[in-house]
Amino acid sequence: MDHDEGFRIPRWHIGQIMERVLQLARMPQDEVAASVGVSSLDLGRYLAGAELPSRLMLERFARACGADPIVLLMVREDQQRRTRV
C-alpha cells in the first residue's frame, strides 16, 4: 500500500495560519463557518489549504475569531503574488 495515497500537500499555506487562529479562538469550526457565511465543508477546504479564501471571507473569518484580519490578508496577498511569478 502506498503511504502517500490520498495525501495532498496544501497549496495555500494560509490555511495553516487560519487553523491556528481558529484554535486560539477556541470556537467550533461549524460555529465560525456559520458566522462567516460559508459551510463547514468550505471552511474545512480553506483550513486544509485546498482553496484560497477571498479577501472578504478572510476578513469575516478573522472577525468571527476575534483576530485582526490584516496579517491574514497580507499572507494571502503574498501567496497569491508568489504563485503568479
Side-chain angles (χ1 to χ4, degrees):
M1 177 180 202
D2 184 2
H3 293 287
D4 292 334
E5 186 176 312
F7 178 75
R8 299 179 84 165
I9 296 172
R11 178 173 180 203
W12 304 106
H13 297 289
I14 185 124
Q16 295 170 332
I17 297 168
M18 292 173 66
E19 182 72 41
R20 184 66 179 141
V21 168
L22 184 62
Q23 289 171 354
L24 291 171
R26 297 180 182 207
M27 295 175 66
Q29 181 176 326
D30 58 343
E31 185 179 320
V32 172
S35 178
V36 170
V38 298
S39 71
S40 189
L41 183 62
D42 285 339
L43 182 56
R45 282 195 284 265
Y46 297 133
L47 296 173
E51 292 184 32
L52 182 67
S54 70
R55 290 179 56 86
L56 180 60
M57 188 276 169
L58 274 179
E59 289 177 24
R60 289 178 177 168
F61 173 82
R63 289 195 176 96
C65 293
D68 185 345
I70 297 299
V71 172
L72 289 173
L73 292 170
M74 289 174 60
V75 170
R76 181 191 185 278
E77 296 307 315
D78 181 63
Q79 284 194 287
Q80 197 171 37
R81 180 181 50 78
R82 288 173 189 250
T83 58
R84 286 187 227 151
V85 174

